Amino acid sequence: MSNFYNAFEMSPVPAPGPDAVAPQPFRGIYGMPAFVTIPTSDLAASVEFWIRGLGFFELFAIPGRLVHLRRWAFQDVLLVAAESVPDQAPAISFSFACVLNQVDPLIEACRALRPNSVDGPRDTPWNTRDVVVITPENARIVFTAAKPFDPASEEARNLAAIGITAPGVGRGDNDEHA
């Protein structure tokens, strides 16, 4: 019996695979289960970077004070006007899901806007490809894309070590984890 609850039907994140398609930007209104608030001393420059570099769109704004940005459902960011921002990126980061075919265009777009803003991509032991982006506000944002599951890979062994043994775990395709 698994301790993992299958709730992927609520998630906008598609199953990993070479043909995974990113969901469309979500423009609906909902009670946000989580969001990040990022202070910025240049609201216009921050909005431009988040939209053109990271693929967000403006959902709502209070001119000169706040901009609510969104990408997929449940990927909400509030940029708020501030007198100053930290001189360097904080140790904490915030991660957003993406799909593999979004990684390279995101890197290119961010580097075109801020040449030294991107670190990666890097493949992780938990079967994702991650890109770290430092935004104009010095926020550390990670875009993480699930890689196709290879049952013979080191990543599969890492997941098996914690009791996850099936491709698409939690997506209802394995009775043990459904």
Side-chain angles (χ1 to χ4, degrees), residues 106-156:
L106 181 130
I107 291 169
E108 292 170 16
C110 289
R111 285 188 175 147
L113 293 164
R114 298 188 76 212
N116 296 317
S117 63
V118 177
D119 183 20
R122 286 189 173 60
D123 290 338
T124 69
W126 47 91
N127 208 41
T128 64
R129 181 159 298 141
D130 291 2
V131 176
V132 176
V133 179
I134 304 301
T135 68
E137 321 71 47
N138 284 320
R140 185 176 186 269
I141 304 300
V142 179
F143 276 79
T144 184
K147 297 186 311 186
F149 193 82
D150 174 2
S153 69
E154 178 182 353
E155 291 87 353

Side-chain angles (χ1 to χ4, degrees), residues 54 96 115 173:
L54 300 176
F96 292 99
D173 57 359

Side-chain angles (χ1 to χ4, degrees), residues 50-114:
W50 281 81
I51 289 173
R52 291 185 48 214
L54 300 176
F56 283 73
F57 66 90
E58 184 177 312
L59 183 67
F60 174 81
I62 300 172
R65 303 204 46 212
L66 172 140
V67 177
H68 180 167
L69 300 173
R70 179 174 294 151
R71 199 165 154 267
W72 300 352
F74 312 121
Q75 294 186 341
D76 293 273
V77 173
L78 301 181
L79 296 175
V80 295
E83 293 293 321
S84 64
V85 297
D87 291 333
Q88 61 184 16
I92 193 167
S93 64
F94 198 86
S95 298
F96 292 99
C98 65
V99 295
L100 284 172
N101 67 13
Q102 293 181 306
V103 170
D104 290 338
L106 181 130
I107 291 169
E108 292 170 16
C110 289
R111 285 188 175 147
L113 293 164
R114 298 188 76 212

